[in-house]
Amino acid sequence: RPRAVVSAWWVGPAAPARQPQEPPHGAGGPSQEEEMNDALEIAVGDLIFSAALADTAAAQAFAQKLPLTLSMRELNGNEKYCYLEEALPAASVQPERIRCGDLMLFGSSCVVLFYEDFSTSYAYTPLGAVSDPAGLAEALGAGGVTVTFRIRAA
């Protein structure tokens, strides 16, 4: 798997749960064709981050697998990743810029949660984005981390 700049997660002292905010950021996030809705929760320890699912076949297939707890590994100090046992329908795009909180699919089975902003030349399929990523990098910390993805209760 090619290396990209990535951030880490840290499970540390509890902080207040994140509340849904406006849909995710522009560059690096989904395009207008890939509208999102705040339907996803990402739990890291006692912290819960609200996230929006992308309007992609991959995001829909990912949502069908939820709830899902993944042991995510650190890569390059800016992302956590985990390979799924089953492939998702990939439709990669080259975003030019990754934003903290972007949830992407690398290839067809690697779920990646980014915790830093950076430019990239790699291609990903959008899965979603954290609505308010403040505190995400600290929550993910350095090294591996357990992350639970689930659909937010109505």
Side-chain angles (χ1 to χ4, degrees), residues 2-143:
R3 292 204 175 267
V5 180
V6 213
S7 342
W9 293 30
W10 168 73
V11 179
R18 302 290 170 208
Q19 298 300 316
Q21 300 291 320
E22 291 184 23
H25 32 267
S31 66
Q32 277 106 2
E33 306 88 54
E34 298 164 345
E35 293 178 23
M36 297 191 190
N37 54 48
D38 281 341
L40 182 65
E41 287 184 344
I42 300 173
V44 183
D46 293 332
L47 297 179
I48 297 174
F49 296 88
S50 292
L53 284 169
D55 186 15
T56 63
Q60 292 169 7
F62 182 69
Q64 292 298 312
K65 296 182 175 297
L66 304 182
L68 185 64
T69 299
L70 301 176
S71 294
M72 302 190 82
R73 298 177 68 182
E74 168 63 32
L75 183 63
N76 296 326
N78 62 6
E79 75 181 61
K80 299 296 181 176
Y81 73 95
C82 182
Y83 282 92
L84 301 174
E85 292 181 15
E86 297 177 16
L88 300 178
S92 297
V93 294
Q94 202 282 319
E96 295 181 17
R97 186 129 184 97
I98 295 292
R99 300 287 215 163
C100 177
D102 281 350
L103 181 63
M104 302 283 207
L105 181 67
F106 182 79
S108 62
S109 64
C110 186
V111 174
V112 183
L113 181 58
F114 293 96
Y115 59 88
E116 295 287 335
D117 295 350
F118 62 94
S119 296
T120 185
S121 59
Y122 293 106
Y124 302 91
T125 301
L127 294 177
V130 174
S131 302
D132 178 5
L136 180 62
E138 293 80 9
L140 294 173

